[in-house]
């Protein structure tokens, strides 16, 4: 039982937006073969040097997205039980990051990680004053951490 979680705080253009958003690896936005740039700073790590190319089947890409989306939904449910704000300025679970000008991308951690269930969690929006206040509160951070642990227990059936 394994999961890859990359936990961050976002800085959205709109300071009115609040809450947690979760990115999953959209199958349509991934390639079946990924090779990092040769100048990548990851080359200093043995793992990156030993396995420079990762390969996935189309079925694996779809399975990764489904498993990751399932976990993301469980996590959002657990956050809701703890009364932690979930992003409501659009879908809180997204399979690609969209930027202005119609650009989109998936971070390398979602494209190249071989762990089937993988999520990039944006806990809060740093441009929103309420989210910033929550982030500075140790009790809120503990609630968030406990919701994450509860989601893992629920997802893996323990």
């Amino acid at each position: 039982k394994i999961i890859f979680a990359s936990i961050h705080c976002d800085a959205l253009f709109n300071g009115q937006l609040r809450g947690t958003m979760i990115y999953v690896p959209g199958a349509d936005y991934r390639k079946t073969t990924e090779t990092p740039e040769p100048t990548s700073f990851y080359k200093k790590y043995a793992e990156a040097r030993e396995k420079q190319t990762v390969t996935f089947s189309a079925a694996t890409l779809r399975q990764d997205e489904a498993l990751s989306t399932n976990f993301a939904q469980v996590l959002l449910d657990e956050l809701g039980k703890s009364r932690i704000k979930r992003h409501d300025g659009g879908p809180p679970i997204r399979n690609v990051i969209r930027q202005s000008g119609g650009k989109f991308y998936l971070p390398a951690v979602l494209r190249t990680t071989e762990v089937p269930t993988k999520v990039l969690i944006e806990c809060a929006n740093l441009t929103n004053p309420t989210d910033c206040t929550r982030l500075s509160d140790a009790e809120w951070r503990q609630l968030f951490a406990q919701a994450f642990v509860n989601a893992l227990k629920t997802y893996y059936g323990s």
Side-chain angles (χ1 to χ4, degrees):
K1 296 179 181 177
I2 190 167
I3 190 166
F4 177 87
S6 184
I7 302 173
H8 305 260
C9 291
D10 213 342
L12 298 173
F13 66 94
N14 183 344
Q16 298 301 310
L17 297 174
R18 287 194 53 226
T20 300
M21 190 178 335
I22 304 172
Y23 291 99
V24 299
D28 292 340
Y29 303 99
R30 295 172 69 197
K31 299 175 188 172
T32 55
T33 301
E34 289 275 356
T35 304
E37 294 291 323
T39 58
S40 170
F41 74 91
Y42 294 109
K43 297 291 184 187
K44 65 183 173 183
Y45 299 103
E47 297 92 342
R49 288 192 308 273
E50 291 167 6
K51 187 162 189 180
Q52 295 184 20
T53 300
V54 290
T55 304
F56 306 95
S57 69
T60 298
L61 297 179
R62 289 189 304 276
Q63 179 184 18
D64 287 0
E65 182 175 5
L67 291 170
S68 301
T69 301
N70 290 345
F71 175 74
Q73 187 58 60
V74 171
L75 176 55
L76 288 176
D77 292 346
E78 290 297 330
L79 291 170
K81 290 176 187 175
S82 296
R83 301 187 63 193
I84 292 175
K85 175 80 172 161
R86 291 150 305 162
H87 183 77
D88 59 6
I93 300 172
R94 299 181 182 196
N95 66 359
V96 67
I97 296 174
R98 296 191 185 278
Q99 295 179 312
S100 60
K103 296 178 184 178
F104 59 88
Y105 75 98
L106 276 177
V109 295
L110 293 178
R111 287 193 327 266
T112 61
T113 303
E114 294 180 295
V115 175
T117 304
K118 47 191 152 262
V119 291
L120 189 153
I121 303 164
E122 298 286 6
C123 298
N125 179 7
L126 293 174
T127 63
N128 180 280
T130 303
D131 273 5
C132 287
T133 299
R134 300 284 189 269
L135 286 168
S136 66
D137 179 7
E139 185 177 324
W140 183 91
R141 293 191 309 269
Q142 183 60 40
L143 282 172
F144 197 101
Q146 190 59 56
F148 183 80
V149 170
N150 291 345
L152 289 171
K153 289 178 178 179
T154 299
Y155 184 72
Y156 287 114
S158 44

